[in-house]
Amino acid sequence: MSASPIGVHFVALVSLAALFLLGLAAPLDAQTRQMQGPVGDGVRTDERDVTVVLGGEVAFDAVVQNKFFRSANDERGWEFVSALLRLDLDVRFTDDVGLYAALQTERRETIPAIGSDFPRSSGFILGEHDPGIEVTELFIDANRLLGIDWSLRGGLAHFQLGLETGYEDPSGHLAWGGHGRLVFDTLRGRGRYHDRIRPVGLHVSYAFNQHLSAVGYFSWLGRDLSDDSQDTWIAAVEGRFHRTNRLDIHGGFLNLFDNNGPDMQMIWGNTRVILERFLHVYGEAVFQLGNDQSGTAWYGGVQYQFDGGRSMIDVSFWHVSGNDTATLLHQEGYQSFGHVDTLMLTESYDYGMGRQRNYTAFKVVASIPIEWNLRLRLAWGRFNAEDSSDSPRPGDEANVFLTYYPSKLVQLEAGFAFLYGSRIFGDDADDTQGWMAVIRARAHF
């Protein structure tokens, strides 16, 4: 894949900035250096002036899905295995300055409509197409420049905006990854036309004190780095206030400049409050302003942890505006740039319908340990179209997952999803049910 002229110029500027940043940071003696870069622990080589940390991931998803969703003309539905290989490289020149790069196999990018035989996936489909290798991140990371408590990141760097709802049990296992990101997620989400987002730009963060901090973003959202016709820029700022780990409030503003379409503004606010030790209340509201892109989205939930925090139940309600442009009662519709995947078939961009707007939903998620390294996760959601005249009801969905952790770096998961009462093919359609079975293996190093 060839880079666009804008991308080449930007990388050149970032490289010059990197040389300047390296000149500002004083090198530390290697024997006293204690590193914990973006890669974390990993395979290390320690020379006098440079520390290199290697990390990565190997992942496989085996999927069987009936014809209901995208393969309406194929009685077998989907049967495939996708693979993802990733290598992370963290080169630390000092404790505060380093270069980070991530290479991985390309994700399946086909954008199928209902009735198509070709799925998207989180990796490449084994036996279907050339895996390919792409650079997913490449940036300079610098902290505490000139003795000031701020950090700067420049280059191809992903970012997420909005509320984090994940849950980690006391043993350190990720018991539930959370609902996802409603506002903005350049790593897992897709843009307005469901294409990948590859942000090249600057991230600057500053902590005013131990309670108040802010981060700013200015990025070129090259959805296809070889095609300048899709140029989109984003400027965003997000502030955070937290106190004694019991109150966490975020708010932000974003302006998206689209060379081939209308600009858009986004305002959001969210909070997560710990009322008691194991009782959490959270919520988020998002407002979009712009021609053909105005819309609202909000959700709120309660999460209760019991059995000493080893188990959890989460209940939430969601409202994402529809797309009825014919009346004044509905805005044009919320345009998702995030990635919400509480339920696999209804919401997931990779294997499901990718429903990201025009719905109301009631969701329940429970995570319960069977053994210290074996966990059961249950999820159920009831989905209705927010504007029923424009889009039929998505249906109700139930998910069941068993997750086994042979170690903290390896995860094996088996899941089953069942959708029923769906009207996406019309009220009189015979196909109102669908299902999917998946086996996943993840290994980090």
Side-chain angles (χ1 to χ4, degrees):
M1 180 176 64
S2 62
S4 70
I6 293 180
V8 172
H9 294 162
F10 197 97
V11 172
L13 291 175
V14 169
S15 301
L16 292 176
L19 296 176
F20 173 74
L21 296 176
L22 293 177
L24 294 177
L28 299 179
D29 182 39
Q31 295 181 352
T32 62
R33 185 183 296 114
Q34 300 293 326
M35 276 309 308
Q36 185 67 32
V39 173
D41 295 327
V43 181
R44 294 165 179 262
T45 64
D46 198 358
E47 302 296 337
R48 178 174 179 80
D49 296 320
V50 176
T51 297
V52 179
V53 185
L54 297 177
E57 178 184 6
V58 180
F60 296 93
D61 288 359
V63 177
V64 178
Q65 189 178 69
N66 81 330
K67 67 178 184 178
F68 176 75
F69 290 94
R70 305 228 183 86
S71 51
N73 298 322
D74 184 356
E75 291 297 330
R76 295 183 311 162
W78 297 349
E79 298 174 6
F80 64 88
V81 176
S82 69
L84 176 70
L85 308 176
R86 195 187 81 242
L87 175 65
D88 300 326
L89 178 66
D90 189 8
V91 181
R92 309 303 300 184
F93 304 103
T94 74
D95 278 353
D96 293 325
V97 178
L99 173 68
Y100 176 77
L103 305 173
Q104 75 175 42
T105 52
E106 296 177 355
R107 291 162 58 177
R108 181 65 177 261
E109 294 292 345
T110 304
I111 312 301
I114 294 173
S116 172
D117 294 326
F118 302 102
R120 289 188 296 259
S121 69
S122 58
F124 70 97
I125 308 298
L126 291 179
E128 289 284 333
H129 66 288
D130 184 356
I133 299 293
E134 64 179 356
V135 178
T136 58
E137 291 196 283
L138 177 61
F139 59 83
I140 291 289
D141 196 23
N143 303 293
R144 294 194 57 80
L145 298 176
L146 302 176
I148 304 175
D149 188 16
W150 65 295
S151 63
L152 182 146
R153 180 171 291 182
L156 174 56
H158 286 289
F159 60 93
Q160 297 176 319
L161 299 173
L163 184 62
E164 171 61 57
T165 56
Y167 165 66
E168 190 174 271
D169 68 17
S171 66
H173 293 148
L174 183 61
W176 177 45
H179 293 293
R181 300 281 183 160
L182 181 64
V183 178
F184 222 92
D185 183 346
T186 64
L187 182 61
R188 301 176 64 197
R190 289 178 165 88
R192 181 181 181 188
Y193 301 105
H194 304 288
D195 44 7
R196 291 279 302 283
I197 302 174
R198 298 173 174 89
V200 180
L202 296 175
H203 304 177
V204 181
S205 61
Y206 179 74
F208 298 96
N209 52 52
Q210 61 179 335
H211 304 300
L212 184 62
S213 61
V215 58
Y217 304 90
F218 181 74
S219 294
W220 170 54
L221 303 178
R223 293 174 295 216
D224 182 348
L225 294 180
S226 64
D227 185 358
D228 286 337
S229 67
Q230 298 191 36
D231 280 351
T232 302
W233 296 82
I234 179 178
V237 61
E238 184 174 48
R240 179 192 181 196
F241 175 80
H242 64 98
R243 192 171 185 84
T244 64
N245 296 323
R246 297 181 65 90
L247 174 64
D248 203 349
I249 301 175
H250 288 219
F253 174 79
L254 174 153
N255 200 114
L256 186 145
F257 310 90
D258 193 335
N259 288 358
N260 293 293
D263 295 346
M264 183 195 73
Q265 293 77 44
M266 185 182 298
I267 302 171
W268 69 93
N270 62 64
T271 185
R272 188 180 184 99
V273 182
I274 302 178
L275 298 180
E276 297 293 340
R277 182 181 178 186
F278 298 118
L279 180 60
H280 298 213
V281 177
Y282 60 86
E284 183 167 40
V286 187
F287 303 91
Q288 288 183 346
L289 309 171
N291 296 330
D292 299 325
Q293 297 195 62
S294 62
T296 58
W298 59 266
Y299 66 96
V302 177
Q303 185 179 112
Y304 181 71
Q305 302 170 9
F306 53 97
D307 190 20
R310 297 174 66 241
S311 304
M312 176 274 296
I313 185 168
D314 185 285
V315 179
S316 61
F317 183 82
W318 297 65
H319 180 279
V320 184
S321 64
N323 52 358
D324 182 1
T325 59
T327 72
L328 298 176
L329 299 178
H330 296 275
Q331 294 178 300
E332 285 89 344
Y334 182 79
Q335 299 290 341
S336 174
F337 292 86
H339 184 276
V340 177
D341 62 349
T342 316
L343 283 302
M344 285 196 304
L345 292 177
T346 306
E347 297 173 303
S348 171
Y349 266 138
D350 290 327
Y351 303 130
M353 292 185 288
R355 189 66 173 257
Q356 300 293 309
R357 66 173 183 172
N358 190 13
Y359 71 82
T360 60
F362 177 73
K363 306 178 185 179
V364 181
V365 179
S367 183
I368 305 167
I370 298 175
E371 300 289 343
W372 71 272
N373 60 351
L374 181 63
R375 178 170 288 275
L376 173 66
R377 188 173 82 251
L378 306 172
W380 176 81
R382 181 175 180 82
F383 291 84
N384 286 294
E386 187 269 342
D387 177 15
S388 58
S389 64
D390 180 80
S391 179
R393 175 171 129 78
D396 302 332
E397 182 178 345
N399 293 177
V400 179
F401 289 94
L402 271 177
T403 307
Y404 174 61
Y405 299 91
S407 72
K408 292 191 69 172
L409 300 179
V410 178
Q411 174 182 329
L412 304 176
E413 186 174 60
F416 182 81
F418 180 65
L419 181 69
Y420 57 96
S422 177
R423 299 296 178 184
I424 63 173
F425 286 139
D427 291 339
D428 298 327
D430 295 330
D431 289 324
T432 62
Q433 300 178 351
W435 58 267
M436 180 177 77
V438 58
I439 299 176
R440 296 170 173 165
R442 298 281 189 273
H444 298 267
F445 62 90

